Amino acid sequence: MTTDPRLLRRRAFLTAAGAAVAGAAALPVLLRAGGPDLPTDRPELPDLPEIPLTTDADGVRVARLVAESTGTGLAYNGTSPGPLLRVREGDTVRVEFTNTVDAPSSLHLHGLPLTPEVDQPLHHVSPGESHTQEFPVAEGCAGTHWYHPHAHGDVERQLLAGLAGPIVVEGPLDREVPALAAADDRLVMFTRAGRDVVANGVDQPRITARSGLTRLRLLNSTAGDHLLLGCLREDGSAVPTHLVTTDVGPVEHPREVEEVLLAPGERAEVLVETVEAGRLALVRLPYSVYGPGGETNEERTLAVVEVPAGHAPMPPPDRLLPVEELDPADAVRTRQVVFGATPDGSFTIDGRIFDMDRVDAEARLDTLEIWEVVNEHGSDHPFHLHSYPVQVLDRDGVPEPYRAWRDTVNVPAGSTVRLLVPFRHGAGRTVYHCHILNHEDLGMMGVLEVTG
Ligand code: C2O
Ligand code: CU
C-alpha cells in the first residue's frame, strides 16, 4: 500500500483519461490541506469573437482566416487567441486561409475529422500564399475543437507567438439534450502566456454562472502543458462535475468526475452544477508528467466561477447520444508505435526521427486496426492521429470504462495504451505525432499512408 498522495489520487479518481477504479466513489474527497486560491475582482471571461461566415451560391459556408504579424506576435484575423469558428454538423464549409506571416505556415483544423486530401498536414503555405479547405462537417463530431499551424519545425514557435483559435461544432447533441440546450455554454481555451496558463487570453478570469448548470468547453491549446483540472469549493471539496464530451463527440452517459486530465491538444466538456451560491475555483491540480512520484506543477486557480443566488437546480442529463461500439475482433492487425528519445535530445517514434518523405505506416481504407502505443520514455507523450478518430481500448491492460471518440490520447511515462483505429471516409497520406509541439518539431512524428 502506497502512501504517496499523488498515487492515491491518481488511483482514486476517474479522469477523462479513463483511469477508473472500482469503489472510487467510496473514497474520501480530495486529500488537500486547505481551500483553493480564489482571487477577487477578476475580469469576466471574455467570449472570443466569432468569424462571420458567408454563404455562397451553392450553400457552402465560407470562413476566412489570415495569419498575420501584429508587431509583437502573431494572430489570426488580428486576434490572439484567434476568433471562434462556429459550424454545424452537416454544413459544407470552406475555410480560406492566407498566410501573411514572414515564414511558412498552415492551418490545421484539429478535431474535425477531415480526409487526408483536405487536411494535408504536410502542405506548407508560403508567405503571401493562400490555401483552401472545403469539407462536409461530419455527423457526430459536435463539440469543441481548434485550429493551429502545422509547419513542421516551427509549430511551437508559431503557436506560442499567438497562432491558435477555437472551433465549435454544433449538432443534435446541443438541441436534443434539454439539459445541454439550457446550460450556460462557456468556451474556455487555455493557452500559455509567459509562465501562466490563461483562459481566453485572460489570467484567472471570473466566470459568472448564468444558470444552474454550466457547460465548460475545456480546450488545452497550450504547446506542451498537461492540465489536470478540477473544480473546487471554497473549502476545497470537489463540485459535482459531469464529463459530456471528449475530443470528437459525446460520451453516451455523462460520467461524474472529480478531475479531468487534458494533455496538450485535448478537449473535454463538463457540466458543473452551479446552484449553491458561492465561489468555485477551476484549478490546475498538481500533475507529474514524469510518472507517479515525479516532479509536479504547482496548484493554480485558472478561473473563478461565481455562482449567484437563485439558480434553480438543473439535473444533468443521464443519457447523451449513442457511441458506436467497435469490435476488436474485427481488427486486421495490431501495430506497435513506440515513443522514445535519442541521447542528444531528439524525440523519436519507433527509434526514428520524422522524415516527410518516408512512409512509416501503411493501412487499408475501410479496415480496423489496433494501435499499441508504447511510451518507453520517462515522460508523458500525447499521441495524436490526423483524419481518423480513435477509441481507447485499454490502458496498461485496464479496459477503458466507457466508449468515446478521441484524436489525442495521453500515453503516460512508461505505459502502453491500445487504440482502436478505423480508417474511414478517405484515403491519403497523413501524420501521427506527439502533441507536445516541441517534441513534434524535433521529430516525434510519423507518416501514415492509407490506400483505398
Ligand atoms: Cu493539433 Cu498534427 O496537430
Ligand atoms: Cu512528446
Side-chain angles (χ1 to χ4, degrees):
M1 180 74 202
T2 175
T3 50
D4 182 331
R6 262 181 320 261
L7 262 182
L8 269 177
R9 289 177 49 132
R10 290 194 58 180
R11 290 192 188 153
F13 298 114
L14 194 76
T15 72
V21 168
L27 285 161
V29 173
L30 294 176
L31 307 165
R32 48 178 302 119
D37 176 35
L38 280 162
T40 49
D41 299 325
R42 299 305 304 152
E44 186 73 16
L45 178 83
D47 285 331
L48 297 174
E50 285 193 27
I51 302 174
L53 277 80
T54 54
T55 307
D56 79 1
D58 301 319
V60 177
R61 308 276 292 146
V62 183
R64 289 188 182 81
L65 274 166
V66 179
E68 55 201 35
S69 167
T70 59
T72 50
L74 303 177
Y76 287 113
N77 295 3
T79 67
S80 179
L84 172 64
L85 174 61
R86 186 188 292 279
V87 296
R88 275 184 317 237
E89 284 182 23
D91 281 355
T92 299
V93 173
R94 181 161 73 238
V95 179
E96 299 175 354
F97 170 66
T98 302
N99 178 21
T100 68
V101 170
D102 181 10
S105 191
S106 65
L107 184 76
H108 169 51
L109 305 172
H110 179 136
L112 298 183
L114 307 181
T115 62
E117 220 172 38
V118 175
D119 179 45
Q120 296 188 18
L122 297 173
H123 178 79
H124 293 178
V125 182
S126 301
E129 308 267 283
S130 297
H131 182 75
T132 294
Q133 300 174 66
E134 184 171 319
F135 52 88
V137 180
E139 305 290 329
C141 75
T144 306
H145 311 290
W146 62 303
Y147 56 86
H148 63 79
H150 220 287
H152 180 63
D154 200 27
V155 179
E156 184 189 42
R157 182 191 71 86
Q158 293 186 14
L159 188 105
L160 290 176
L163 291 185
I167 302 174
V168 165
V169 176
E170 295 174 351
L173 175 67
D174 306 284
R175 298 187 298 270
E176 289 168 17
V177 180
L180 283 188
D184 181 12
D185 189 331
R186 295 298 184 93
L187 174 83
V188 188
M189 175 172 170
F190 296 111
T191 54
R192 179 72 97 84
R195 286 182 58 243
D196 296 325
V197 171
V198 297
N200 297 2
V202 175
D203 188 31
Q204 299 187 308
R206 182 185 67 227
I207 301 174
T208 306
R210 295 178 289 216
S211 83
L213 205 54
T214 301
R215 176 183 187 176
L216 296 178
R217 298 173 176 265
L218 304 169
L219 159 55
N220 185 349
S221 40
T222 68
D225 296 298
H226 281 70
L227 302 176
L228 180 62
L229 302 171
C231 203
L232 306 177
R233 297 188 183 90
E234 278 172 62
D235 65 2
S237 59
V239 185
T241 298
H242 312 270
L243 177 71
V244 288
T245 78
T246 54
D247 300 329
V248 202
V251 297
E252 190 152 345
H253 303 279
R255 300 185 62 83
E256 187 156 341
V257 293
E258 293 194 349
E259 300 174 341
V260 173
L261 177 64
L262 290 186
E266 216 180 334
R267 293 85 67 206
E269 296 177 7
V270 295
L271 295 173
V272 183
E273 294 180 32
T274 41
V275 179
E276 272 169 62
R279 302 169 76 226
L280 313 172
L282 178 60
V283 169
R284 180 184 185 192
L285 298 160
Y287 178 76
S288 166
V289 294
Y290 307 107
E295 193 195 331
T296 69
N297 58 281
E298 270 171 29
E299 175 174 313
R300 189 162 190 277
T301 296
L302 299 183
V304 177
V305 181
E306 289 240 5
V307 184
H311 286 331
M314 287 171 57
D318 43 38
R319 204 182 153 76
L320 297 169
L321 298 175
V323 179
E324 181 189 353
E325 187 169 0
L326 302 169
D327 184 352
D330 293 337
V332 297
R333 64 175 289 179
T334 296
R335 183 191 299 276
Q336 216 179 45
V337 173
V338 181
F339 282 148
T342 62
D344 64 350
S346 281
F347 294 92
T348 58
I349 294 182
D350 301 330
R352 301 190 291 200
I353 293 173
F354 175 66
D355 175 352
M356 67 178 285
D357 297 317
R358 180 186 69 221
V359 173
D360 299 283
E362 288 177 85
R364 300 283 302 181
L365 192 63
D366 296 321
T367 64
L368 174 71
E369 292 190 2
I370 293 172
W371 282 34
E372 184 172 273
V373 187
V374 180
N375 183 355
E376 289 184 342
H377 191 234
S379 66
D380 292 16
H381 297 281
F383 173 87
H384 172 54
L385 171 62
H386 285 227
S387 291
Y388 307 104
V390 305
Q391 292 185 7
V392 176
L393 177 58
D394 52 31
R395 302 177 194 252
D396 279 334
V398 179
E400 188 76 342
Y402 60 98
R403 281 199 299 278
W405 290 106
R406 300 171 185 276
D407 54 54
T408 309
V409 178
N410 190 48
V411 186
S415 74
T416 296
V417 176
R418 289 199 305 159
L419 307 171
L420 292 162
V421 190
F423 298 102
R424 291 174 178 167
H425 304 305
R429 202 174 266 209
T430 190
V431 293
Y432 50 100
H433 58 86
C434 171
H435 217 288
I436 294 174
L437 299 176
N438 173 48
H439 299 179
E440 175 194 342
D441 282 335
L442 290 174
M444 205 172 225
M445 177 150 72
V447 174
L448 165 69
E449 170 121 56
V450 178
T451 51

